[in-house]
Amino acid sequence: MAGISKTNVARLLDAAGIEYELIPYRFSEDDLSAVHVAEELGEPIDQVFKTLVLRGDRSGLFVCVIPGDFEVDLKLAARISGNKNCEMLHMKELLPNTGYIRGGCSPIGMKKKFPTFIHESALLYDHIYISAGIRGLQVKIAPQDLFTYVNAEIYPI
């Protein structure tokens, strides 16, 4: 891994003894989408997951990790997180609350541990890709290891 500096996400996974691989990719400020990431990685979009932070009316902040080509279903997200309503966290609130910026948000290593829900399709694969905590770097990880590490609940379709 010469030339790739370890992110906080990588250090946390190392400390937990979890196997992973850091995969760099070219990113563009004009297209921070998971679709772009998948194209750069040469991987199917269903294995590249995006991390979304939402605010529930009862629970406060929570995290949904969903396939890159999915849109979050706010009604379902509210229901699974024990809320009546929820909304996406405003971009200006992302960094102060999570320590991450848009396009580099990882479910691992946020400032606080938030309830985390990972889409059930992750379990279909030996490995999935999530952000390593910065733009231009992904973590290739076994979904079960991710579920366990972030203490996630399975998020059904």
Side-chain angles (χ1 to χ4, degrees):
M1 283 196 319
I4 299 176
S5 52
K6 290 232 171 159
T7 62
N8 190 43
V9 171
R11 286 188 288 277
L12 290 168
L13 292 173
D14 286 345
I18 294 174
E19 283 187 37
Y20 67 93
E21 192 177 336
L22 290 174
I23 312 285
Y25 68 94
R26 285 190 320 261
F27 75 93
S28 163
E29 294 283 343
D30 300 328
D31 187 358
L32 296 172
S33 72
V35 172
H36 176 77
V37 174
E39 288 168 357
E40 285 294 318
L41 295 175
E43 294 290 342
I45 186 63
D46 352 359
Q47 279 183 265
V48 177
F49 281 68
K50 58 187 176 185
T51 303
L52 305 174
V53 183
L54 298 97
R55 183 184 308 280
D57 62 342
R58 294 179 178 161
S59 70
L61 300 186
F62 66 98
V63 176
C64 288
V65 181
I66 63 174
D69 58 345
F70 277 39
E71 291 298 319
V72 68
D73 177 335
L74 293 175
K75 283 187 175 142
L76 176 59
R79 193 173 74 240
I80 65 168
S81 63
N83 289 286
K84 273 195 168 167
N85 301 300
C86 67
E87 62 182 14
M88 291 292 296
L89 190 66
H90 295 290
M91 193 115 54
K92 67 182 186 305
E93 295 180 274
L94 193 60
L95 182 60
N97 281 288
T98 67
Y100 293 126
I101 60 172
R102 182 171 173 261
C105 191
S106 178
I108 297 170
M110 290 190 183
K111 285 183 171 183
K112 286 176 55 184
K113 286 204 181 275
F114 298 113
T116 301
F117 303 88
I118 301 177
H119 193 269
E120 65 186 0
S121 66
L123 295 172
L124 299 173
Y125 305 104
D126 293 337
H127 63 269
I128 60 171
Y129 297 87
I130 58 167
S131 175
I134 59 172
R135 293 172 179 170
L137 195 61
Q138 292 278 297
V139 172
K140 180 179 179 181
I141 189 170
Q144 200 56 58
D145 288 342
L146 178 61
F147 274 95
T148 303
Y149 185 78
V150 299
N151 194 23
E153 290 184 43
I154 293 180
Y155 177 173
I157 292 177

